[in-house]
Amino acid sequence: MRFVVLSGQSGAGLTSARMALEDLGYFSVDNLPPQLWGELLRTVEAQGIHRVATVLDIRARGFLTGVEAIFQELKPFIVYLEARSDVLLRRYNLSRRLHPLGMGNLLREIEEERQALLPLRDRADLVLDTSERTPRQLKEALEAALGEEEGFLLRILSFGFKWGPPQDADLVLDVRSLPNPHYDPV
């Protein structure tokens, strides 16, 4: 069983990291209280799922007591995401979302969250600064750290030009000049 805990500051890319792990085949749960992780792992293992990720951030502050004992028991790989305060401020201003601490002063909330999550940061197996990373670079860093690769996905689709090429195609090859095996056996 591969168990990954994503933690870090709000706005540092936890959602992007969770989606990247889902792309790698992880079953993910957002903000499940740590006291329920053992049951989650038993349940998904019974279903044949062997890669699980969960997010633990400041929203779970009431459930953080006793989390160290849970870490000792379950031994997760902990990834902590952080970003510079100016970057977090810009991201919050662009998204217009409220900070989970919601006190009204965004810079103070960011710093309070940073201090509250220091024990998780210190316990992390991997700390990633996402200030200058794109979501794709974050995914690549997670792939490298976890020794996982998404692999190459190739979809081949036959279509008729009468209806136009597929809208979501990255590359379209016109093979109308090749012999059609339906009419001309090879």
Side-chain angles (χ1 to χ4, degrees), residues 30-169:
D30 188 16
N31 214 28
L32 184 70
Q35 293 76 6
L36 300 176
W37 290 352
E39 186 61 33
L40 168 70
L41 294 178
R42 285 187 290 280
T43 302
V44 297
E45 192 169 35
Q47 295 295 315
I49 298 170
H50 300 289
R51 289 190 263 174
V52 179
T54 187
V55 176
L56 178 65
D57 59 21
I58 197 67
R59 295 173 294 166
R61 61 184 164 256
F63 297 104
L64 291 178
T65 55
V67 75
E68 188 60 40
I70 296 168
F71 287 156
Q72 290 296 330
E73 177 189 347
L74 300 177
K75 299 185 181 4
F77 185 85
I78 303 171
V79 178
Y80 187 88
L81 304 180
E82 63 185 4
R84 294 187 321 264
S85 295
D86 63 312
V87 173
L88 293 174
L89 185 62
R90 186 180 72 241
R91 289 177 183 172
Y92 267 102
N93 285 334
L94 286 173
S95 71
R96 298 284 185 208
R97 298 213 47 211
L98 293 176
H99 192 277
L101 295 179
M103 298 177 297
N105 183 333
L106 189 53
L107 277 175
R108 189 175 69 206
E109 293 164 0
I110 289 170
E111 289 309 315
E112 276 193 37
E113 178 184 33
R114 189 183 316 268
Q115 293 305 313
L117 295 177
L118 267 179
L120 285 173
R121 186 187 191 284
D122 294 340
R123 179 73 166 79
D125 298 298
L126 174 66
V127 177
L128 291 174
D129 186 335
T130 64
S131 299
E132 304 298 326
R133 292 183 198 257
T134 64
R136 180 69 196 168
Q137 291 169 329
L138 175 59
K139 182 177 185 176
E140 290 169 356
L142 288 171
E143 287 175 352
L146 297 172
E148 311 252 354
E149 287 187 30
E150 181 182 11
F152 182 76
L153 177 63
L154 177 65
R155 272 190 284 185
I156 298 176
L157 176 68
S158 176
F159 67 94
F161 275 100
K162 177 179 179 182
W163 308 109
Q167 295 291 320
D168 60 345

